[in-house]
Amino acid sequence: MAAEHTVKAYDEELDRMNNAILEMGGIVEQQLAASIASLARRDDELASRVITDDRRVDALEAEIDQLAVRILALRQPVAVDLRVITASLKIASDLERMGDYAANVAKRSIAIQEIDPIRLTHAISRMAGIAQGMIKDVLDSFRDRDVERAMAVWRRDEDVDESYNSLFRELLTYMMEDPRRITPCAHLLFIARTSSGSAIMRPTSPRP
């Protein structure tokens, strides 16, 4: 009975860590979508909520770190379980960074509320949509232990890079044509770079 109880407690700890990863990922997905929406709608209240939500992401990362340390110290996992735990630590770190990116986009959105909007905001929205889909798919691949799906997400990062490069050239043209556009375009360049960075999550689904 004692051995059975130990195994059950171990499984519950792994489940808690997996669930925390998925919860964290869900918040980051929402943060990214909301930060871009706040830019498009010029909605500083929505942007402020994105910044506030970053605290939840930080708290979940701390919880995952604590769970991982506890499992490593008490359970001494090997093979697949060890890979799951180390992958979880990396994913949590990546998600925390993405949450920071989304919060930074929201801050930039607030900063440019008083500036005349530029139509390329829509291009940023499309690029962020690709990044958001990649985050969802890579988290699903982690949940389902689907390595092929994770690799497919990794390959899609090229689409984001191409979108960023195209947008970069357009914004530079805008700035050269009219120096008054330099400030808003500089903000949008930062946001575009941040949105493209949000898509960078290496495939971390552990092989069964």
Side-chain angles (χ1 to χ4, degrees):
M1 290 296 294
E4 181 179 343
H5 175 75
T6 299
V7 171
K8 182 179 179 182
Y10 181 30
D11 288 341
E12 288 175 349
E13 288 170 346
L14 288 174
D15 286 343
R16 281 178 59 197
M17 189 166 60
N18 285 338
N19 290 337
I21 287 283
L22 296 176
E23 181 183 355
M24 190 179 181
I27 295 172
V28 171
E29 282 183 60
Q30 293 171 6
Q31 276 187 293
L32 179 59
S35 65
I36 299 300
S38 72
L39 174 67
R41 301 174 193 168
R42 303 173 73 82
D43 185 340
D44 58 355
E45 183 177 342
L46 181 58
S48 295
R49 288 204 298 271
V50 173
I51 297 168
T52 300
D53 283 346
D54 198 42
R55 299 172 191 166
R56 295 170 59 198
V57 174
D58 293 343
L60 282 166
E61 185 194 21
E63 178 183 343
I64 292 163
D65 285 349
Q66 291 170 4
L67 279 169
V69 169
R70 173 181 172 82
I71 294 171
L72 289 170
L74 298 181
R75 310 301 183 187
Q76 298 181 349
V78 296
V80 173
D81 286 348
L82 181 59
R83 291 197 292 274
V84 168
I85 293 165
T86 54
S88 295
L89 287 169
K90 173 60 176 171
I91 291 171
S93 176
D94 285 345
L95 287 172
E96 191 277 333
R97 173 174 52 82
M98 293 176 194
D100 286 344
Y101 283 168
N104 287 336
V105 169
K107 291 173 184 177
R108 293 275 178 162
S109 174
I110 292 172
I112 61 177
Q113 291 299 323
E114 303 302 321
I115 301 174
D116 290 339
I118 295 177
R119 63 179 178 85
L120 289 179
T121 299
H122 300 296
I124 293 176
S125 296
R126 287 194 299 272
M127 187 170 64
I130 296 172
Q132 187 181 356
M134 291 172 66
I135 295 170
K136 179 182 184 302
D137 286 348
V138 81
L139 288 168
D140 288 347
S141 76
F142 174 76
R143 180 197 62 205
D144 300 334
R145 305 297 188 258
D146 187 339
V147 176
E148 293 305 317
R149 189 171 184 179
M151 293 301 297
V153 173
W154 195 359
R155 289 189 287 269
R156 279 161 57 196
D157 191 46
E158 294 179 1
D159 296 337
V160 179
D161 291 342
E162 290 176 5
S163 296
Y164 172 77
N165 291 335
S166 175
L167 183 60
F168 180 83
R169 289 191 293 269
E170 288 188 66
L171 286 170
L172 282 183
T173 300
Y174 266 50
M175 288 188 282
M176 288 187 292
E177 289 177 349
D178 187 347
R180 292 172 298 179
R181 293 174 174 168
I182 290 176
T183 296
C185 285
H187 283 299
L188 291 179
L189 275 173
F190 175 86
I191 290 171
R193 185 58 186 167
T194 299
S195 298
S196 67
S198 295
I200 302 172
M201 179 185 277
R202 298 296 182 243
T204 47
S205 293
R207 292 188 180 274

